[in-house]
Amino acid sequence: MSAQFPVARPRRLRRTPALRRLVAETRLAPAELVLPMFVKEGITEPHPISSMPGVVQHTRDSLRKAAHEAVEAGVGGIILFGIPAVKDGDGSAADDPAGIVQLALRDLTADLGDAAVIMTDLCLDEYTDHGHCGVLTAAGEIDNDATLERYASIAIAQASAGSAVLGPSGMMDGQVAAIRSALDGAGYQDIAIMSYSAKYASAYYGPFREAAECAPQFGDRATHQQDPANADESLREVFLDLAEGADMVMVKPAGAYLDIVRRVRDEVDVPVVAYQVSGEYAMIEAAARNGWVDRDRTMMESLLSIRRAGANLVLTYYATEAARRLARGAH
Ligand code: PBG
């Protein structure tokens, strides 16, 4: 039966792959993807992370090779996480000029030049023996302001080793201001800050704690990371970070917080970054291994959805693979 009058037929524009490609509202590009990478001190072979199949703790050499592959695929950036051989209460390996991240930074900046943006996560949890993101008081609580002094020192160590963008992820109050003033005071006015502004106290970080060997030995991160129940609070954190000098703001995790990504995108005029975290990756991998979802389609759909929600950049363990698919014209 044909219509008696013009009927809206949205399906017309979905009819062929070429039509769908023509009218797609959101596109993913390799340059918008950032690959998080782990480098561990004192290992001679890359070490697989069992809860993140396909992701490894790198040696300095394997890191260089994998970073080169990421750049070949067109990935826009790399963010480094270091795992020192020895951890202590102050996380002293974090700002050691000969610490693992600083060494890896020198390797990558020498190898890659400006072919991709080399960034660093700036936190203490990978470096402390207690696994917390800051230094502790005698009572075992995180000392916010003493932690800021540590972050300032780490910022200078990372900047002087060649990091172009620092990503403070500890959710301490005042961390962006402390890092900005330390950088400016040391002549690093040009080094950017990508703040993990709206970072939730999330179960989705589970596999990362294996990857970075940083599970808290007691307690949790709920006194500094945000309560998953809250959305308005994210804007407060974002505006504070911008006032303190953040150049980009991040929402983390991504998939379960797309409403936050959208709200932040609508409120700010700086790049919005979203982090598809370890648990998001692990869930796709686990379901795919069971044959329950199509891995490649789920990977690409998850990334596209994060972009559609408003993220300009996506940190994802799939960065190299997704970039290769995009370069082939696949979705
Ligand atoms: C803290 C940090 C964490 C992640 C990135 N930076 C762990 C945490 O807050 O507990 C998690 C990333 C992921 O799960 O992929 N340095």
Side-chain angles (χ1 to χ4, degrees):
M1 197 181 92
S2 68
Q4 305 297 304
F5 49 86
V7 171
R9 291 192 183 274
R11 288 183 55 193
R12 279 184 199 122
L13 298 183
R14 298 181 195 138
R15 195 165 50 84
T16 68
L19 273 167
R20 294 194 291 274
R21 188 178 65 213
L22 184 74
V23 301
E25 295 175 31
T26 309
R27 293 173 208 279
L28 262 179
E32 299 156 348
L33 303 176
V34 176
L35 178 66
M37 302 184 85
F38 303 100
V39 58
K40 182 166 174 174
E41 185 177 18
I43 55 172
T44 51
E45 292 294 326
H47 188 266
I49 300 160
S50 63
S51 53
M52 299 177 74
V55 180
V56 301
Q57 294 175 328
H58 281 290
T59 67
R60 276 174 73 182
D61 278 345
S62 73
L63 180 85
R64 295 170 75 164
K65 186 162 171 288
H68 185 75
E69 287 167 6
V71 168
E72 291 271 280
V75 161
I78 287 166
I79 183 161
L80 285 179
F81 294 86
I83 305 126
V86 180
K87 305 189 183 207
D88 59 24
D90 290 336
S92 35
D95 51 339
D96 181 346
I100 185 65
V101 156
Q102 279 69 253
L103 297 178
L105 272 169
R106 291 197 184 90
D107 291 341
L108 294 192
T109 48
D111 285 359
L112 304 175
D114 197 37
V117 179
I118 313 295
M119 323 185 186
T120 38
D121 183 81
L122 196 169
C123 196
L124 275 169
D125 60 333
E126 298 95 340
Y127 300 93
T128 52
D129 52 11
H130 44 71
H132 281 291
C133 300
V135 291
L136 304 179
T137 63
E141 285 172 356
I142 296 179
D143 184 334
N144 191 92
D145 295 7
T147 300
L148 297 185
E149 288 176 31
R150 297 289 298 123
Y151 287 0
S153 170
I154 301 167
I156 291 171
Q158 293 183 348
S160 65
S163 184
V165 178
L166 308 186
S169 65
M171 290 296 280
M172 294 298 119
D173 291 337
Q175 63 184 12
V176 174
I179 291 167
R180 186 72 269 157
S181 83
L183 290 172
D184 291 353
Y188 295 112
Q189 290 89 348
D190 292 338
I191 302 304
I193 298 177
M194 173 180 72
S195 184
Y196 290 59
S197 302
K199 176 171 174 180
Y200 285 86
S202 174
Y204 288 92
Y205 308 148
F208 177 93
R209 308 235 165 123
E210 180 195 346
E213 302 173 14
C214 65
Q217 298 305 300
F218 58 89
D220 57 30
R221 308 211 202 287
T223 65
H224 48 104
Q225 298 180 349
Q226 283 181 233
D227 186 336
N230 297 349
D232 295 343
E233 191 188 4
S234 283
L235 295 182
R236 186 152 181 257
E237 288 280 5
V238 161
F239 289 132
L240 281 169
D241 283 358
L242 290 174
E244 291 178 26
D247 301 286
M248 303 187 242
V249 292
M250 190 195 296
V251 175
K252 179 184 171 193
Y257 295 84
L258 294 183
D259 58 323
I260 310 297
V261 173
R262 169 48 57 188
R263 279 186 70 173
V264 172
R265 175 65 285 156
D266 287 344
E267 293 284 342
V268 304
D269 57 5
V270 296
V272 173
V273 186
Y275 195 150
Q276 181 181 52
V277 300
S278 56
E280 298 177 70
Y281 176 90
M283 291 194 313
I284 294 174
E285 291 300 308
R289 264 151 214 262
N290 275 299
W292 294 341
V293 296
D294 178 320
R295 178 181 180 277
D296 291 355
R297 286 187 57 202
T298 310
M299 163 176 81
M300 298 313 284
E301 183 178 334
S302 66
L303 296 173
L304 186 71
S305 297
I306 295 165
R307 282 278 292 121
R308 193 194 59 239
N312 303 91
L313 306 178
V314 186
L315 271 60
T316 173
Y317 300 97
Y318 287 125
T320 303
E321 204 181 334
R324 283 187 185 137
R325 284 183 68 84
L326 293 166
R328 287 201 309 271
H331 299 283

